C-alpha cells in the first residue's frame, strides 16, 4: 500500500512536439489510460499531470496527428513527438481564440497560410501573400507606386465613412498595430512563418472594437522549432519590373497637313485647323510617351537569417535589404532595410519568456505621383504626340515642361511627367520599431499566467521640395522661376499595449475545459508637424525652411492621444473532441467613445460538431458543422466626439467647426456565421461558409445646415448589412513519392447594402478635378452603387408632350419623335445629323423640371472573386502557379471620360472609317462632357483574371552540392527559382488595369478600392520577372 | 507561493485597471465655450469671421463661382472646362446648371454658400456676446461694427449670388427652424446690417481696425464706414435681376451711399492662406483666362462680337494691329491693362472655339501672379464707387454730374485711358453705356461676380443664362427641401433665367 500511495503522488510532465518540424503542439489531450484524469498541453506544448500507478499508460491524442500510447514506466518526465496524420491534416491557430487551438475545433471560419505555401513565392507583402489562398479575402493592389502595400478587405463592407478605418486589424507576432500604420509594407515575407485570417465580426469578437473589419495576424519565424541546431538561410532575388500593357490612345488629329505631311502652321507657328473638326489626320511624328515614361526598372532583395536552439534558449534573427524601382523613370526607388530578432528563453519548467522585435527603415516616393496635373500618370496620356519630352527647357534644364502643351491643343495644361518625376522631389522616409515581450508562468498544471507588453513606434517624414528653378507649364523666360516650394511633415505614431491573461484548463474525462480571463490596456499617440511655404523660396538648392521668406512660412501641428482598456472572459468546452462550445464576453472602454458612452460590450457564442466522429461516413474523414454569432466593432476617429472650433493661423473660425457628440458610440458589427468543413477521399478538404453581418451605429460625419453654427457632427447614423458566401477546396491531386500536386481553390461573393441612413443621401467622389461624387450612399442601396446621367439610346425612352414634341431630352423642346434616330454608337441623335458637326447625344431630362435625370448606372462590387493556386513538384523541380479573378463589378472610367474630352481616347480616332462616316469632334466633346457629369457610357465592366504568380524552382540537394567541393558541401540545399508576378491580366476593361481605386479628390475615395472602383490617374500595377537563389546551411 | 502569485496577479491587474484615464481633452481645437469665455479672443474671432467673408475668393474652392459668373457674363472666355466653365457657363445656347449632389463641381457652389452662412452665424455669436455688454469700450464697439459689416457683406453676397438664403436671427434662438427666404429679403437684411455698422463706426471715430483683422488693413473708423457705404450701394445695385428691377432700384439711396463711399482702393494684402484672390492672380497665366470680345469691343467696336463661327480660320485676323486700327477709341488702357497674346492654339475647335477665341488677357495683376498670389489684392476700386455715383446721377437724370465724374482727370478713364472729355450733350443711355463700359474695363476680377451682376441688371445676358444660383443641392437634401435649378433656354423666364430680351448678342 505504501508504494501505491507513493505512486499516487507521482507527477509526470513533459513536452509534446511535432515529429515533422519539432514545433510545440498546444492543445494535445493527455489522458491516463483507463481513467478520466488528464491534461491539455499549453501553447509551448507542455503538460503536467498526476499518475497513481507505476505502470500507467498515457494516451496522447491530437487532431491531425497519430495518437500515441506511452507507458510511464516510472519516469517523471515524458517528452513525446507526434507524427502528422496525413489523412487528417490540421493546423493550430492563435488568432481570434483565447489560446492556440486546432482549426478542427473552432466554431467559426479562420484562414491560415502556412510556411510551405508562403515559401513557394515570397510575396512582396503580406497582403499579396493572401491572394487566392483564403476564401472571403479580397486583395487590391490599387497603386503601382513602389512601396505601396496591397489593401485587404475581409468579407463585406462594414463601414460607410471614409474616415473610419476600413482595413482589418493587423497583428504582428501578437503586437496590435495602430490602424493605417502601413504595417504590411514593413514586413519581410521571408521572415513570415504563417498568416492567420479571421474574416468576420464573430471570429474577431475577441478583439472587440478593434476588429470590426476582421483580423490578419502575421506570425514570424522562431528558433524554438529547432532541436539543438543552428541554421542559416541566405536568399537573394533580382529582377525587373515592367508595365503589363500600354493603353491604346487616339492616333489622329484634326490639323491641316502641308505638302510634306507636316502640320501646317500660321505665321506665329501655331497649327492650322483642318477645315472640318474630324479627328482623322495622321501625326507626322509621334512619340509613344507611355513607353518613354514607363521603363523596365530593376529590383533586388538580399536576405540573411540565422536560427538557433540551444536547449533553453532559441532565437531567430534576420536582416534584409529591398530595393524596388517601380516602372516610372526618374522616380526614386523604394528601399527598405529590416532587422529582426526573435528570442525565446525557458527560464525553468514553469517560466518562459519570448521577445519579438523588428526594426525597419524605408524610403521611397510619395504617392502624390497620381492624379491629373499634379500627378504623373495621367499627364503622360495628355501630352501632344509630337512633343519630345527629352527636349530641354529655355534655361537648359532637361525634360521640357514649360509650354510643352503649346504644341497643339492636346495637353495644353499638361506637365512633362519626366520633368516632374526627376524634379518634384516628393519622398517619404519611415522608421519603425516593433517590439513585444511576453512571459508565461505556469502556476499549476491547470493555471497559467501570461503577460505581454508590446510597443510599436513609427516615424514618417514626408518631404517635398520644388527647387528655386523648378519649372512648370506657365514658366516663361520673362518670369522663369515662380513655382518653388518646400513642404515638410513629421509624424510620430506610437502604440503601447499591455495584456495580462489567466488561463485555467482542465480535463474532466472526455470533457476538456479552458477558461481565459484577460485584461488589456492600449495607449496610442499620434503627433504631426507640418511646415510649408506659401510663396517662392529665396535661393536655389537649399531644402531647408530657412529658405522660406519669413512671412511665407506656414506651420500646422496635430496631437492625438487615445487609450483603451478591455477585459474579456472566454470559456471553452470540448467534449471528446466532438462537441465544442465556446463563449466569450468582452468589455471595451475607450477614450474614443463619447463621454456618455465610454463602455461597450462585445460577445461571441460558437459551436462545432464533428459529425464524423459520431457517424462513420464512407470516404469522409472529417465532417464538421459549425456556427457562431458574435459582435465586434469600429472605433470612432480621434476627433469625432469633440466640439471643435478650427484655429487657423491664429484666427478662430467660429461656427465652421464640428459639433461635439458625447453620445458617440463605436459601431457594432453583429454577425451570424455558419458553415461546414469536410475532408474526404483522403485528399480533399472542403470548406463552405455563409455569413450575415449587420453593422449598426455607423460612424458618419453628418453635415449640418450652415445655420446651426457648425459644419457637421459625427453621429451614429446608419446600418449596413452584408451577406457573404465563401468556399474553398484543397486537394492533393497527386501525392506520390516523386510527383506531388496540390491545388487550392477559393471563392466568395459578398453583397453589402445600406439598410438605414439617418442623414441625407450623399455621394463619394471618384477623385480628381472634374470628376464627380457618383458613388451614392443611400438607404436601400448597395455600397458601390454608381449614379449618373443617362444618354438616350433608344427611341422608346423618349416621351412626347401635349404639343407633340419630345420633352425629355436635354436642350430639345421643338422636335417630334420622328425627328430622331439611332446612330452608329447606339445613341439617339437628330435625323440627318450623323457624321456632321451638328451630331450630338442627349441626356435624358425630367419632362417637367427639365433637370437631368440621375439614376443608378453601375455597381462597383464584384459579383464573385476566386483564386486557384497550384503547386506541382517532381522530385526537386517545383512549379507554382497562382491565378486570381474578379467577376463582375463596374469601374467608373474617369480616365476615359477625360481622355475623350481631351481627344485622346481611341473612340475619337476616325481614321479607320470610310469618308462620309466619320464623326466630328463636337460629337465626342458633348458625349464625354455631359456637364462634366458621370454618365453610363464610361461605366465599364471590371471583370478580370490575372495570372498572378508563376514560379519554377529547382532544389539542389546536399549530395549534389557536395560535388562542387568544400564550399558546396557546406550547404544543406540550394533553391534556384524563376518567378513572375502580375504576369498577365485578361480583361475587357480599356484602362491600364482594372485594379483601381480613385485617388485624390476631396472625398478621398481611395479608402475603399473594393466598393468604389474609379480609374483616375493611378499608377498601374506592374509585372516583375525575377531570379532568386536561396542557400541553407 | 501560489497565493503570493495570485496576489501579484490581482495587484498588477488592478494597477493597470486604475491607471488609464480615458477622459482625454482635445489638445488641438478649442470649443465655442472656451473661445467665447475670454473677451480677449474676440478680435481673433472677428478676424476669422472677416476672413470668412472673403474665403470664397480662395483657390480652395477652385476659384469659386466667382469666375464661373464672369464666364457666363461673357467677360471671360476660353474652352477650358474646369468647373464646367465651358460646358454650363459658356456654351451657346446656355445650359441648365446641374444642381445635384453628384455634380462634380458642386463644391464651387457649396463652399461660398457654407462660408457665407457660417460667417453670418459666427457674427451673430459675437454680436450677441458684445451686445450683452452695455458699456462697450471703443475697441469693442469697433469690433461690433466689424461684425455687423461682416454679417452684412455675407448676407449681401448670398442675396446676390443665390436665389434664396437663410436669415439666421441674431438672437441665436435654438428653436430657429431654417427657412429659405427670397433673395430680396436677404439683401434687405444685409443692407440694414451695413447701416448698423456705419452707425457704430461713426460712434467710435478713433477706432482703428486691429492688425489681426484683414491682414493688417488698418482702416480707421471713418474708412470702414466709407467701405460700408460703398458696399451698401454696390450690394443694392447688384441685387437687380433684370433691367426692370434695375430701373426700380432706389437710386437716390445709391447716390447717398456712394457719396459717402470710399476714397481709396480697398486692397487686402493677400497671404495665400487666410485671404487669396485666386481669380485675380490667375489672370497672369498667359494662356488661361482670356477677356471676351464683348469687353474688348469697348476699345474698338469693329471687333466682331465673335470670331467668325468657323474653327478653321487659318490665322486670327484680329491681331493687335486690328484692334488699334480703324475704330480704335484710343483708350490707352488697352495697353495698360491688357496684353495681346498671339497664341490661340489651346482653344479646342470642337468646343465652340470659333466663337470663344480672344487674344487678350488682363495683365494688371501679373505681379501678383508671379508672387503666387501673395501681395496686394484689389477687392474694390475707389473708381467703382465713383462709377456707382455716376450711374446714380444718370439714373436720377443728373447727366451733367454723371459726365463730370467720367471726365474727372483723376479717374482712370482720363488718367490712364487718356481719353478726351465727354460732351455734355450725351443722352442718358449713352452715359449709362459709357459707365458700364468703364465697369467692364476696370472692375472685372475684383468684387465677386461683379460683371455678372452688371449684365444681369441690364438684361444683357444671353438667353438661357441663369440669373442666380439655386441653393446647393447638398443643403437642400440635408434640409429635406426639394432640389431645383436654373438656366437653359428652355427655362428662360426672365426672372430666374435670362430671357435674352436685351442680350448683348442681339
Amino acid at each position: 500500500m505504501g508504494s501505491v500511495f507513493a505512486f499516487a503522488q507521482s507527477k509526470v510532465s513533459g513536452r509534446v512536439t511535432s515529429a515533422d518540424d519539432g514545433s510545440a503542439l498546444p492543445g494535445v489531450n493527455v489522458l491516463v489510460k483507463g481513467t478520466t484524469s488528464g491534461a491539455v498541453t499549453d501553447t509551448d506544448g507542455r503538460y503536467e499531470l498526476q499518475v497513481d500507478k507505476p505502470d500507467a499508460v498515457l494516451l496522447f491524442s491530437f487532431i491531425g496527428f497519430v495518437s500515441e500510447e506511452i507507458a510511464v514506466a516510472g519516469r517523471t518526465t515524458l517528452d513525446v513527438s507526434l507524427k502528422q496524420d496525413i489523412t487528417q491534416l490540421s493546423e493550430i491557430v492563435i488568432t481570434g481564440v483565447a489560446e492556440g487551438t486546432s482549426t478542427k475545433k473552432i466554431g467559426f471560419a479562420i484562414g491560415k497560410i502556412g510556411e510551405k505555401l508562403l515559401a513557394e513565392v515570397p510575396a512582396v507583402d503580406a497582403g499579396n501573400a493572401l491572394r487566392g489562398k483564403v476564401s472571403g479575402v479580397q486583395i487590391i493592389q490599387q497603386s503601382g507606386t513602389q512601396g505601396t502595400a496591397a489593401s485587404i478587405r475581409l468579407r463585406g463592407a462594414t463601414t460607410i465613412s471614409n474616415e473610419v478605418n476600413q482595413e482589418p486589424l493587423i497583428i504582428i507576432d501578437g503586437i496590435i498595430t495602430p490602424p493605417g500604420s502601413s504595417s504590411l509594407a514593413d514586413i519581410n515575407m521571408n521572415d513570415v512563418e504563417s498568416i492567420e485570417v479571421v474574416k468576420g465580426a464573430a471570429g474577431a469578437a475577441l478583439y472587440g472594437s478593434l476588429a470590426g473589419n476582421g483580423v490578419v495576424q502575421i506570425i514570424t519565424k522562431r528558433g524554438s522549432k529547432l532541436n539543438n541546431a543552428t541554421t542559416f538561410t541566405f536568399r537573394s532575388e533580382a529582377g525587373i519590373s515592367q508595365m503589363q500593357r500600354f493603353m491604346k490612345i487616339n492616333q489622329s488629329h484634326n490639323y491641316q497637313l502641308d505638302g510634306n505631311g507636316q502640320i501646317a502652321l500660321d505665321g506665329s507657328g501655331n497649327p492650322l485647323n483642318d477645315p472640318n473638326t474630324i479627328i482623322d489626320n495622321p501625326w507626322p511624328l509621334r512619340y509613344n510617351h507611355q513607353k518613354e515614361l514607363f521603363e523596365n526598372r530593376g529590383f533586388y532583395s538580399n536576405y540573411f537569417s540565422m536560427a538557433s536552439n540551444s536547449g533553453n534558449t532559441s532565437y531567430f534573427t534576420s536582416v534584409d535589404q529591398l530595393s524596388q524601382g517601380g516602372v516610372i523613370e526618374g522616380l526614386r526607388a523604394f528601399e527598405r532595410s529590416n532587422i529582426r530578432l526573435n528570442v525565446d528563453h525557458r527560464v525553468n519548467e514553469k517560466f518562459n519568456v519570448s521577445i519579438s522585435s523588428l526594426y525597419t527603415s524605408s524610403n521611397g516616393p510619395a504617392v502624390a505621383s497620381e492624379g491629373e496635373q499634379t500627378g504623373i500618370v495621367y499627364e503622360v496620356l495628355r501630352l501632344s504626340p509630337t512633343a519630345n519630352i527629352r527636349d530641354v527647357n529655355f534655361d537648359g534644364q532637361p525634360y521640357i515642361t514649360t509650354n510643352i502643351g503649346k504644341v497643339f491643343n492636346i495637353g495644353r495644361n499638361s506637365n512633362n511627367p519626366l520633368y516632374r518625376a526627376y524634379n518634384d522631389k516628393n519622398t517619404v522616409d519611415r522608421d519603425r520599431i516593433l517590439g513585444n515581450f511576453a512571459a508565461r508562468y505556469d502556476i499549476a498544471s491547470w493555471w497559467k499566467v501570461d503577460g505581454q507588453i508590446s510597443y510599436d513606434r513609427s516615424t514618417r517624414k514626408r518631404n517635398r521640395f520644388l527647387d528655386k528653378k523648378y519649372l512648370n507649364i506657365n514658366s516663361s523666360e520673362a518670369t522663369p522661376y515662380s513655382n518653388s516650394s518646400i513642404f515638410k511633415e513629421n509624424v510620430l505614431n506610437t502604440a503601447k499595449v499591455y495584456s495580462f491573461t489567466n488561463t485555467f484548463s482542465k480535463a474532466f474525462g472526455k470533457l476538456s475545459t479552458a477558461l481565459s480571463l484577460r485584461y488589456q490596456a492600449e495607449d496610442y499617440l499620434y503627433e504631426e508637424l507640418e511646415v510649408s511655404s506659401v510663396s517662392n523660396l529665396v535661393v536655389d538648392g537649399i531644402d531647408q525652411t530657412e529658405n522660406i521668406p519669413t512671412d511665407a512660412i506656414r506651420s500646422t501641428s496635430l496631437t492625438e492621444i487615445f487609450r483603451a482598456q478591455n477585459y474579456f472572459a472566454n470559456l471553452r468546452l470540448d467534449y471528446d473532441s466532438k462537441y465544442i462550445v465556446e463563449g466569450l464576453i468582452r468589455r471595451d472602454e475607450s477614450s474614443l467613445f463619447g463621454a456618455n458612452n465610454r463602455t461597450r460590450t462585445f460577445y461571441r457564442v460558437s459551436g462545432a460538431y464533428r459529425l464524423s466522429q459520431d457517424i462513420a461516413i464512407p470516404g469522409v474523414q472529417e465532417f464538421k458543422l459549425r456556427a457562431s454569432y458574435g459582435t465586434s466593432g469600429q472605433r470612432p476617429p480621434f476627433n469625432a466626439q469633440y466640439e471643435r472650433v478650427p484655429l487657423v493661423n491664429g484666427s478662430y473660425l467660429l461656427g465652421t467647426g464640428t459639433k461635439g457628440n458625447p453620445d458617440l458610440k463605436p459601431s457594432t458589427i453583429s454577425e451570424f456565421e455558419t458553415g461546414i468543413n469536410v475532408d474526404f477521399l483522403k485528399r480533399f478538404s472542403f470548406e463552405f461558409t455563409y455569413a450575415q453581418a449587420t453593422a449598426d451605429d455607423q460612424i458618419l460625419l453628418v453635415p449640418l445646415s450652415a445655420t446651426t453654427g457648425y459644419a457637421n457632427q459625427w453621429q451614429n447614423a446608419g446600418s449596413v448589412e452584408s451577406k457573404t458566401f465563401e468556399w474553398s477546396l484543397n486537394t492533393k491531386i497527386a501525392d506520390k513519392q516523386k510527383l506531388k500536386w496540390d491545388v487550392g481553390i477559393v471563392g466568395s461573393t459578398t453583397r453589402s447594402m445600406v439598410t438605414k441612413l439617418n442623414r441625407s443621401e450623399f455621394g463619394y467622389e471618384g477623385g480628381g478635378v472634374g470628376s464627380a461624387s457618383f458613388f451614392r450612399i443611400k438607404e436601400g442601396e448597395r455600397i458601390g452603387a454608381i449614379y449618373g446621367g443617362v444618354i438616350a439610346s433608344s427611341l422608346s425612352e423618349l416621351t412626347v408632350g401635349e404639343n407633340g414634341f419630345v420633352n425629355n431630352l436635354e436642350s430639345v423642346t421643338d422636335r417630334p419623335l420622328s425627328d430622331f434616330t439611332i446612330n452608329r454608337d447606339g445613341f439617339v441623335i437628330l435625323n440627318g445629323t450623323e457624321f456632321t458637326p451638328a451630331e450630338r447625344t442627349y441626356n435624358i431630362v425630367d419632362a417637367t423640371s427639365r433637370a437631368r435625370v440621375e439614376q443608378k448606372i453601375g455597381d462597383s462590387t464584384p459579383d464573385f472573386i476566386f483564386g486557384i493556386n497550384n503547386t506541382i513538384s517532381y522530385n526537386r523541380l517545383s512549379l507554382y502557379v497562382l491565378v486570381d479573378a474578379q467577376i463582375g463589378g463596374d469601374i467608373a472610367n474617369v480616365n476615359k471620360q477625360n481622355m475623350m474630352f481631351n481627344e485622346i481616347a481611341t473612340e475619337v480616332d476616325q481614321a479607320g472609317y470610310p469618308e462620309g462616316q466619320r464623326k466630328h469632334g463636337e460629337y465626342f466633346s458633348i458625349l464625354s462632357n455631359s456637364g462634366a457629369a458621370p454618365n453610363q457610357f464610361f461605366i465599364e465592366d471590371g471583370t478580370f483574371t490575372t495570372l498572378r504568380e508563376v514560379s519554377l524552382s529547382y532544389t539542389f540537394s546536399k549530395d549534389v552540392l557536395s560535388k562542387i567541393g568544400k564550399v558546396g558541401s557546406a550547404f544543406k540545399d540550394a533553391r534556384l527559382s524563376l518567378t513572375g508576378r502580375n504576369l498577365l491580366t485578361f480583361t475587357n476593361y480599356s484602362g491600364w488595369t482594372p485594379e483601381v481605386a480613385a485617388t485624390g479628390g476631396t472625398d478621398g475615395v481611395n479608402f475603399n478600392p473594393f466598393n468604389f472602383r474609379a480609374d483616375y490617374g493611378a499608377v498601374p500595377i506592374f509585372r516583375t520577372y525575377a531570379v532568386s537563389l536561396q542557400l541553407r546551411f | 507561493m501560489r497565493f503570493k502569485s495570485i496576489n501579484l496577479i490581482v495587484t498588477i491587474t488592478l494597477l493597470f485597471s486604475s491607471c488609464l484615464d480615458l477622459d482625454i481633452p482635445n489638445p488641438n481645437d478649442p470649443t465655442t465655450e472656451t473661445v467665447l469665455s475670454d473677451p480677449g479672443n474676440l478680435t481673433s474671432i472677428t478676424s476669422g469671421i472677416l476672413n470668412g467673408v472673403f474665403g470664397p475668393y480662395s483657390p480652395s474652392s477652385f476659384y469659386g463661382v466667382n469666375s464661373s459668373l464672369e464666364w457666363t457674363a461673357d467677360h471671360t472666355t476660353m474652352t477650358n472646362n474646369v468647373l464646367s466653365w465651358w460646358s454650363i457657363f459658356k456654351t451657346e445656347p446656355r445650359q441648365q446648371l446641374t444642381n445635384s449632389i453628384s455634380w462634380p463641381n458642386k463644391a464651387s457652389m457649396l463652399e461660398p454658400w457654407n462660408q457665407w452662412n457660417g460667417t453670418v452665424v459666427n457674427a451673430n455669436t459675437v454680436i450677441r456676446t458684445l451686445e450683452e455688454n452695455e458699456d462697450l469700450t471703443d475697441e469693442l464697439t469697433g469690433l461690433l461694427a466689424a461684425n455687423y459689416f461682416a454679417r452684412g457683406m455675407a448676407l449681401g453676397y448670398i442675396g446676390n449670388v443665390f436665389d434664396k438664403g437663410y436669415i439666421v436671427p441674431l438672437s441665436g434662438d435654438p428653436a430657429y427652424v431654417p427657412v429659405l427666404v427670397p433673395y430680396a429679403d436677404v439683401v434687405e437684411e444685409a443692407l440694414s446690417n451695413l447701416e448698423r455698422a456705419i452707425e457704430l463706426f461713426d460712434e467710435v471715430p478713433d477706432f482703428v481696425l486691429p492688425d489681426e483683422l484683414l491682414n493688417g488693413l488698418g482702416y480707421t473708423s471713418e474708412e470702414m464706414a466709407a467701405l460700408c457705404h460703398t458696399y451698401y450701394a454696390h450690394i443694392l445695385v447688384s441685387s437687380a435681376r433684370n433691367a426692370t428691377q434695375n430701373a426700380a432700384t432706389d437710386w437716390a439711396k445709391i447716390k447717398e451711399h456712394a457719396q459717402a463711399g470710399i476714397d481709396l482702393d480697398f486692397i487686402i494684402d493677400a497671404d495665400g492662406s487666410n485671404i487669396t484672390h485666386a481669380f485675380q492672380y490667375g489672370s497672369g497665366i498667359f494662356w488661361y483666362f482670356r477677356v471676351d470680345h464683348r469687353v474688348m469691343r469697348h476699345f474698338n467696336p469693329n471687333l466682331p462680337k465673335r470670331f467668325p463661327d468657323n474653327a478653321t480660320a487659318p490665322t486670327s485676323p484680329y491681331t493687335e494691329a486690328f484692334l488699334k486700327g480703324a475704330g480704335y477709341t484710343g483708350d490707352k488702357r488697352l495697353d495698360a491693362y491688357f496684353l495681346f497674346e498671339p497664341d490661340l492654339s489651346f482653344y479646342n475647335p470642337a468646343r465652340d472655339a470659333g466663337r470663344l477665341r480672344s487674344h487678350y488677357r488682363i495683365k494688371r495683376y501679373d505681379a501678383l501672379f508671379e508672387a503666387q498670389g501673395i501681395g496686394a489684392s484689389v477687392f474694390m476700386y475707389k473708381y467703382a464707387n465713383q462709377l456707382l455715383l455716376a450711374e446714380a446721377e444718370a439714373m436720377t437724370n443728373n447727366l451733367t454730374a454723371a459726365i463730370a465724374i467720367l471726365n474727372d482727370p483723376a479717374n482712370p478713364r482720363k488718367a490712364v485711358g487718356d481719353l478726351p472729355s465727354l460732351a455734355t450733350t450725351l443722352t442718358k443711355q449713352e452715359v449709362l453705356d459709357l459707365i458700364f463700359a468703364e465697369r467692364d474695363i476696370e472692375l472685372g476680377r475684383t468684387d465677386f461676380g461683379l460683371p455678372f451682376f452688371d449684365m444681369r441688371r441690364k438684361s444683357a445676358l444671353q438667353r438661357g443664362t441663369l440669373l442666380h444660383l439655386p441653393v446647393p443641392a447638398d443643403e437642400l437634401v440635408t434640409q429635406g427641401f426639394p432640389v431645383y435649378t436654373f438656366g437653359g433656354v428652355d427655362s428662360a423666364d426672365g426672372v430666374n433665367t435670362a430671357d435674352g430680351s436685351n442680350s448683348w448678342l442681339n
Side-chain angles (χ1 to χ4, degrees), chain B residues 414-431:
Chain B
K414 297 195 77 168
V416 185
D418 199 21
L419 288 169
S421 292
L422 298 167
T424 55
T425 56
L426 293 173
T427 65
K428 178 179 177 180
Q429 189 57 50
E430 286 170 334
V431 171

Side-chain angles (χ1 to χ4, degrees), chain A residues 13-30 41-47 60-68 70 78-85 92 223-228 309 311 346:
Chain A
S13 64
R15 187 166 185 251
V16 184
T17 55
S18 165
D20 260 19
D21 56 14
S23 61
L25 290 179
V28 175
N29 275 316
V30 187
T41 57
D42 63 16
T43 52
D44 199 32
R46 298 186 183 284
Y47 73 96
F60 296 84
S61 62
F62 191 49
I63 301 296
F65 287 79
V66 177
S67 297
E68 292 275 357
I70 301 174
L78 191 54
D79 291 342
V80 177
S81 180
L82 297 183
K83 291 178 182 171
Q84 252 189 9
D85 182 347
I92 304 303
S224 53
K225 282 186 170 182
L226 299 171
N227 274 325
N228 286 315
N309 187 348
R346 182 180 175 188

Side-chain angles (χ1 to χ4, degrees), chain A residues 124 185-191 233-239 299-305 318-324 333-340 358-363:
Chain A
V124 290
D186 296 334
I187 305 300
N188 180 351
M189 288 306 296
N190 289 298
D191 280 348
T233 301
F234 171 77
R235 187 173 188 280
S236 187
E237 180 173 355
F299 83 91
Y300 67 86
S301 72
N302 291 309
Y303 172 80
F304 176 77
S305 72
S318 72
V319 293
D320 87 281
Q321 189 179 24
L322 168 75
S323 176
Q324 173 57 268
F334 173 75
E335 294 181 330
R336 186 194 67 198
S337 301
N338 278 11
I339 301 174
R340 171 172 291 284
L358 169 69
Y359 170 73
T360 177
S361 176
S362 65
N363 55 65

Side-chain angles (χ1 to χ4, degrees), chain A residues 425 465-470 484-486 537-544 547:
Chain A
K425 298 183 174 73
F465 178 46
L466 305 183
D467 210 347
K468 179 76 179 171
K469 291 184 177 174
Y470 187 83
S484 54
S485 65
I486 283 175
L537 306 179
V538 178
V539 298
D540 194 32
I542 304 298
D543 181 14
Q544 300 300 335
N547 200 5

Side-chain angles (χ1 to χ4, degrees), chain B residues 136-215:
Chain B
L136 291 180
T137 62
D138 283 5
E139 183 189 350
L140 291 177
T141 302
L143 282 181
L144 179 62
N147 278 281
Y148 271 111
F149 168 71
R151 189 171 190 268
M153 290 287 287
L155 286 168
Y157 280 134
I158 292 169
N160 279 339
V161 172
F162 298 95
D163 75 310
K164 295 191 192 86
Y166 297 117
I167 304 176
V168 184
L170 274 168
S171 63
D173 180 3
Y176 168 71
V177 177
V179 56
L180 290 165
V181 299
Y183 69 86
D185 295 347
V186 180
V187 169
E188 188 180 331
E189 178 74 5
L191 298 178
S192 73
N193 277 252
L194 291 174
E195 281 182 323
R196 177 66 181 142
I198 291 165
E199 287 171 13
L200 289 165
F201 281 125
D202 287 347
E203 284 177 19
V204 285
D206 294 333
F207 173 77
V208 176
L209 210 61
D211 278 351
E212 295 97 312
L213 305 187
L214 293 176
N215 292 346

Side-chain angles (χ1 to χ4, degrees), chain B residues 230-246:
Chain B
T230 293
Y231 273 111
Y232 185 106
H234 172 65
I235 289 169
L236 178 56
V237 161
S238 301
S239 64
R241 264 47 178 182
N242 52 43
T244 307
Q245 291 182 14
N246 187 59

